[in-house]
Amino acid sequence: MNNTGFYIFALVAVVIAGFLLKHVVTCLLRTVVVIVLLIVLAFAYYFLVGQYDPEIQGAIEEALGNRQQ
């Protein structure tokens, strides 16, 4: 393969790699954002609802207490 062929091949490889990387990173970024939002919602539920509902609060404390032992 001569130099021109190599440069064309390298250019095509970079374009394909960039295209694939864009789609993979976008999917991973969406996944990370969804996981962070679920964690935030879980904490909000715990602090806003769990503290005022003794049944939920007791279940959470029991689950955390059992896990520590």
Side-chain angles (χ1 to χ4, degrees), residues 2-55:
N2 58 16
N3 288 341
T4 306
F6 175 75
Y7 290 128
I8 291 172
F9 173 76
L11 182 62
V12 169
V14 167
V15 169
I16 291 173
F19 180 75
L20 290 175
L21 186 63
K22 178 185 174 198
H23 286 285
V24 169
V25 169
T26 302
C27 184
L28 288 174
L29 185 61
R30 286 181 191 160
T31 304
V32 168
V33 168
V34 168
I35 289 173
V36 168
L37 286 176
L38 288 175
I39 291 171
V40 168
L41 288 173
F43 278 112
Y45 181 79
Y46 170 74
F47 285 113
L48 296 176
V49 176
Q51 290 182 350
Y52 299 111
D53 190 348
E55 199 171 297

